[in-house]
Amino acid sequence: MKRDIEQFSSQCHQILKEDPGVEGRKGVCALVQDVLKDDEFIKTYLSDDVPERKVLYEDPELGFCILGHVYHGAKDSNPHDHGPSWAIYGQARGETIMTDYAPLARPSGGQPGKARWVKEGKNIDKVQRFPYERVT
């Protein structure tokens, strides 16, 4: 099915409005997988001239965002989490090597937090996720 960002964001909104929990997020994940098979969608919103990070849509009611990331060459980032929020990633091209870390200490007093390496793997859909455990 061919989509534009308005249709895609509307479908995401509808899914999350009906079920803001885990099942709703699974529904959005399936929708992301589907839209990333649409070459026209990719050419329109994730072309090579898009900046590394671009907000494609912000939902005024539910507060979710749809971001487009386009990287040219390898990109590293430090260990991080999304706090109390969540993220759904989809990949149109290329390969991602994800590394999972277990939190050992949260940042405080201007000092970075501490984490230990858990697992590394190629492509997001194949990386096992570990439950989040708050470090006190």
Side-chain angles (χ1 to χ4, degrees), residues 36-37 42 46 90-94:
L36 289 176
K37 296 173 188 170
I42 302 306
L46 300 170
Q91 187 156 339
R93 295 186 296 253

Side-chain angles (χ1 to χ4, degrees), residues 25 31 35 37 50 58 60 66 68 70-72 78-79 86 106 109 116 121 124 126 130 136:
R25 285 176 259 171
L31 189 60
V35 79
K37 296 173 188 170
V50 171
E58 283 186 69
I66 298 172
V70 177
Y71 297 114
H72 303 282
N78 291 325
W86 49 266
R106 293 281 166 215
R116 72 174 169 79
I124 294 169
K126 296 179 181 161
F130 295 88
T136 57

Side-chain angles (χ1 to χ4, degrees), residues 17 22 31 50 53 63 94 101 103 112 117 132 135:
K17 182 89 173 172
V22 173
L31 189 60
V50 171
R53 180 182 184 272
Y101 293 88
W117 179 90
Y132 175 81
V135 175

Side-chain angles (χ1 to χ4, degrees), residues 25 28-29 65 67 80-90 124 129:
R25 285 176 259 171
V28 171
C29 185
C65 296
L67 304 175
H80 64 280
D81 68 21
H82 294 268
S85 63
W86 49 266
I88 296 172
Y89 292 99
I124 294 169
R129 295 286 164 233

Side-chain angles (χ1 to χ4, degrees), residues 13-25 62 86:
H13 178 96
Q14 182 179 353
I15 290 168
L16 293 171
K17 182 89 173 172
E18 290 174 9
D19 187 344
V22 173
E23 292 306 311
R25 285 176 259 171
L62 301 180
W86 49 266

